[in-house]
Amino acid sequence: LEMMMMMGFVTSVPTVPVKNLNGSSPVHPALAGITGILMSAAALPVCLTRPPKLVLHPPPVSKSDIKPVPGFGHCCRKTTKKQARKGKTPEEVVKKYLQKVKSPPEEDCTICMEPLGGPSGYKGPGVGPVSRAESVGRLAQCGHQYHFQCLVAMYNNGNKDGSLQCPTCKAIYGVKTGNQPAGKMEYHVIPHSLPGHPDCKTVRIIYNIPPGIQGPEHPNPGKPFTARGFPRHCYLPDSEKGRKVLRLLLVAWDRRLIFSVGTSSTTGESDTVIWNEVHHKTEFGSNLTGHGFPDPGHLDNVLEELRAQGITEDDGLMEK
């Protein structure tokens, strides 16, 4: 380009000639820009358009325009520190979900990779000896079989919340809860429409979690954790399906499953608050980051991600 300018071929650099700003064009903006420069150098006509604009937030909304979400008798939900545990031992929790296996099959336990007919390969702390009759168990709902000691060790390495998740098929036994730190979730309707949802207003969710000290359920108990980017604003269409998703997100919030403490996949920072596998849209009026609208499959994807956390539409019916 410098050489071309020195030779007098280019007097000005045009803006990126992208006609379709919605991302459906197969032409990469950088390639389109180079093409435009070469075309202008050859005195060919160039179609000039404005580059796409990132719209993270809606236009300003006055307090009087913020309304409760239809069908919800509240607009804020707080979580406190971890709820008190029930006084069951890990062995008692695991036994609750197991059926006894008289003659183990000739296959390996997929936790320790040792034969089910032999002893558990787990040699770590916290698991006492068991009788041969109790050495292998079948999870009642899905039927997968494991060494009893391996399941207890797996439970001890998890959140120890009274629930158990099959490591093979991810079936959840009991009520799964997470290690989301204390915080506040607000939700209300604002009088603007999301791209792709022109026929309804928008539900805005505001999550706020302050930094703090990690508890026993976190990766490094007693060590501080950071909380970047809060309050975080997220958006759903104020449609029947959007409100269904909101009800289930409230269940996930109460069960401390929306956020977790760990290592950020974007910054690499450890001991920080991160999203926990339930995707949210944080870009209001565009979709340049992939976290915006339009996205026709978004609500169904979120419902599927919530099901993977053990939250179904039946839980939503109980949410008032």
Side-chain angles (χ1 to χ4, degrees):
L1 177 58
E2 288 181 3
M3 180 64 70
M4 292 168 70
M5 293 180 71
M6 289 172 62
M7 296 175 67
F9 288 126
V10 182
T11 56
S12 63
V13 179
T15 54
V16 177
V18 183
K19 281 187 177 181
N20 185 347
L21 301 183
N22 293 324
S24 59
S25 170
V27 181
H28 190 281
L31 179 60
I34 293 170
T35 305
I37 291 168
L38 295 175
M39 289 174 69
S40 65
L44 296 172
V46 179
C47 173
L48 302 183
T49 56
R50 292 180 181 178
K53 184 180 179 184
L54 179 69
V55 184
L56 280 178
H57 301 292
V61 180
S62 66
K63 284 189 177 181
S64 60
D65 285 336
I66 294 175
K67 305 296 182 185
V69 181
F72 289 72
H74 38 70
C75 60
C76 179
R77 191 69 63 89
K78 292 183 179 180
T79 58
T80 55
K81 293 193 176 178
K82 199 156 195 69
Q83 293 86 356
R85 297 290 190 195
K86 294 179 181 177
K88 287 192 174 181
T89 67
E91 287 81 3
E92 288 172 329
V93 171
V94 172
K95 280 182 181 178
K96 183 168 69 170
Y97 304 122
L98 286 183
Q99 298 170 337
K100 289 185 178 180
V101 176
K102 290 183 179 178
S103 53
E106 293 184 6
E107 57 187 53
D108 290 344
C109 169
T110 56
I111 299 176
C112 71
M113 304 310 294
E114 295 290 339
L116 286 170
S120 165
Y122 178 74
K123 300 292 190 289
V127 181
V130 293
S131 67
R132 182 162 182 79
E134 291 184 318
S135 63
V136 175
R138 177 190 294 110
L139 287 170
Q141 180 182 324
C142 63
H144 290 113
Q145 300 180 41
Y146 306 95
H147 289 118
F148 175 72
Q149 289 175 310
C150 290
L151 285 173
V152 173
M154 185 185 76
Y155 179 83
N156 274 327
N157 286 326
N159 203 28
K160 297 188 280 291
D161 60 356
S163 74
L164 194 68
Q165 187 162 19
C166 175
T168 299
C169 67
K170 308 304 180 187
I172 295 172
Y173 295 80
V175 177
K176 180 181 178 181
T177 61
N179 65 7
Q180 174 181 291
K184 183 168 71 169
M185 174 183 179
E186 299 176 72
Y187 37 96
H188 48 247
V189 173
I190 57 175
H192 300 294
S193 297
L194 292 162
H197 298 275
D199 55 341
C200 63
K201 296 178 182 178
T202 297
V203 174
R204 178 169 61 186
I205 303 170
I206 303 175
Y207 294 112
N208 205 357
I209 294 178
I213 303 297
Q214 297 181 53
E217 71 274 22
H218 293 133
N220 295 297
K223 186 178 178 181
F225 67 84
T226 58
R228 310 290 186 192
F230 288 95
R232 297 187 186 182
H233 291 217
C234 308
Y235 304 97
L236 292 168
D238 183 30
S239 60
E240 183 179 351
K241 197 168 190 178
R243 291 191 288 270
K244 178 197 292 185
V245 169
L246 176 61
R247 288 189 186 281
L248 298 189
L249 287 176
L250 284 166
V251 176
W253 174 262
D254 288 343
R255 295 184 187 176
R256 305 177 67 196
L257 292 166
I258 301 287
F259 296 97
S260 182
V261 172
T263 299
S264 169
S265 60
T266 53
T267 67
E269 181 182 11
S270 58
D271 300 301
T272 192
V273 180
I274 56 174
W275 291 105
N276 186 40
E277 298 178 14
V278 179
H279 285 85
H280 286 63
K281 294 296 190 180
T282 54
E283 188 179 347
F284 174 80
S286 53
N287 197 12
L288 298 189
T289 65
H291 302 299
F293 294 91
D295 183 347
H298 173 61
L299 297 178
D300 287 327
N301 290 341
V302 175
L303 291 172
E304 188 60 39
E305 290 165 348
L306 288 164
R307 271 192 290 273
Q309 299 284 0
I311 298 171
T312 66
E313 293 183 26
D314 290 339
D315 295 302
L317 295 174
M318 298 170 62
E319 171 59 40
K320 297 296 182 184

